[in-house]
Amino acid sequence: MSTTGAAADPLAALGSLPGVADSVESVRKAVDRVYGHRIMRRRGNEITSEAALRGARGSAALSGADWALEEVRRRTDFSAGEEDRTVGAALRLTAEAGQLLSIWRQSPLRVLARLHLVAAADRGDAVGRPRRSGEKADEPLVELPLPDADEVAGRLEGLSRLIIAGGSAPALVTAAVVHGELIALRPFGSHNGLVARAAERIVLIGSGLDPKSICPAEVGHAELGRAAYLAALDGYVSGTPDGMAAWIAHCGRAVELGARESAAVCEALQRGAA
């Protein structure tokens, strides 16, 4: 996303794209339904924990480690192979995201560095810093053109300024732009998809849309499927109004599906308590 131009609040301007307001309203209603469930009053912490687990599973699936939920739940060692390490990284990021909310609005680049450090702690001196000139990004499931290091630095700085400045953009729009921009840039040498989805989670929590983190967008992204995810990302990268609106709508649908997942968990707990 270009952060230059005449618009004082380019994120808010995206909220006026055709169909985006409908997506924002639909997401709000879906989230409100889960928060209004009576089981939330007594067992909200359980819903949050389960949402975190399911969100991590969904994010890992989009990065090539599509494990059954029960396998993620029972496993304790995530060091055996590449898929294991991907799932482990997703779990660590989900746990870390909630600890970084107070830093995000003041220093989003510091948060992104921390997320990469958590995800890729075994990657040597490239951990926790953006790619340098000549360095590539290991993100085999994303085949978008890879921006060079100078473009990455400039766009990250622009994104950081937008986050720090705040503005009137709906939470969904901001979350979608953060997510899309990080995938488009792939600023780190590895784990960019996992980091992007964790950053989306931070925006949704910190904005107040999903303060208890019970509507995992990662679940919805995985349910919609990798092909739809990549097609929507193509729209974001195109920078066209239709492409941007389609990506925001895709992210909105993902949040709605995450909310539906947690509503089902609420219903299951309620039946068990009856």
Side-chain angles (χ1 to χ4, degrees):
M1 174 189 176
S2 173
T3 59
T4 62
D9 189 349
L11 293 180
L14 294 176
S16 65
L17 291 174
V20 170
D22 291 340
S23 293
V24 169
E25 180 63 20
S26 184
V27 166
R28 169 54 67 187
K29 289 179 179 178
V31 172
D32 285 348
R33 280 193 294 270
V34 183
Y35 275 85
H37 199 288
R38 64 182 184 176
I39 206 74
M40 281 293 298
R41 291 193 296 271
R42 294 181 284 115
R43 304 178 71 174
N45 288 341
E46 291 177 66
I47 306 301
T48 295
S49 295
E50 187 65 19
L53 183 73
R54 294 177 185 228
R57 192 218 73 83
S59 190
L62 286 170
S63 288
D66 192 359
W67 288 13
L69 179 63
E70 291 310 311
E71 177 68 10
V72 179
R73 195 189 303 281
R74 74 167 189 84
R75 188 72 72 91
T76 57
D77 181 5
F78 296 97
S79 62
E82 192 63 33
E83 286 194 6
D84 303 66
R85 288 189 288 273
T86 296
V87 175
L91 288 166
R92 292 192 301 273
L93 284 172
T94 301
E96 186 75 9
Q99 310 303 312
L100 299 171
L101 296 174
S102 63
I103 306 171
W104 174 253
R105 286 298 296 270
Q106 286 74 43
S107 184
L109 297 185
R110 180 180 164 195
V111 169
L112 294 176
R114 174 62 185 171
L115 291 174
H116 188 249
L117 179 66
V118 168
D122 59 347
R123 296 292 179 117
D125 64 358
V127 170
R129 64 160 177 80
R131 291 184 287 111
R132 294 171 181 160
S133 181
E135 293 180 340
K136 301 298 183 184
D138 181 15
E139 203 74 33
L141 301 178
V142 177
E143 298 180 352
L144 299 168
L146 187 66
D148 63 27
D150 288 342
E151 182 177 353
V152 168
R155 287 172 62 174
L156 280 179
E157 191 59 41
L159 182 64
S160 176
R161 286 195 298 269
L162 287 177
I163 298 302
I164 293 170
S168 60
L172 172 62
V173 172
T174 303
V177 168
V178 167
H179 183 168
E181 192 73 352
L182 292 174
I183 293 284
L185 294 178
R186 279 146 293 159
F188 302 108
S190 64
H191 297 88
N192 289 287
L194 295 177
V195 169
R197 291 184 288 274
E200 178 185 45
R201 173 183 284 267
I202 287 172
V203 174
L204 294 172
I205 299 170
S207 67
L209 176 64
D210 182 20
K212 295 183 179 179
S213 192
I214 60 170
C215 302
E218 305 97 322
V219 168
H221 285 303
E223 185 173 336
L224 291 166
R226 189 178 300 138
Y229 182 70
L230 295 176
L233 279 169
D234 283 341
Y236 177 86
V237 172
S238 76
T240 65
D242 286 347
M244 296 292 289
W247 169 246
I248 294 167
H250 183 89
C251 290
R253 182 60 179 150
V255 176
E256 290 181 57
L257 290 171
R260 187 181 70 178
E261 183 92 352
S262 286
V265 172
C266 287
E267 289 296 322
L269 289 175
Q270 184 168 283
R271 288 192 298 271

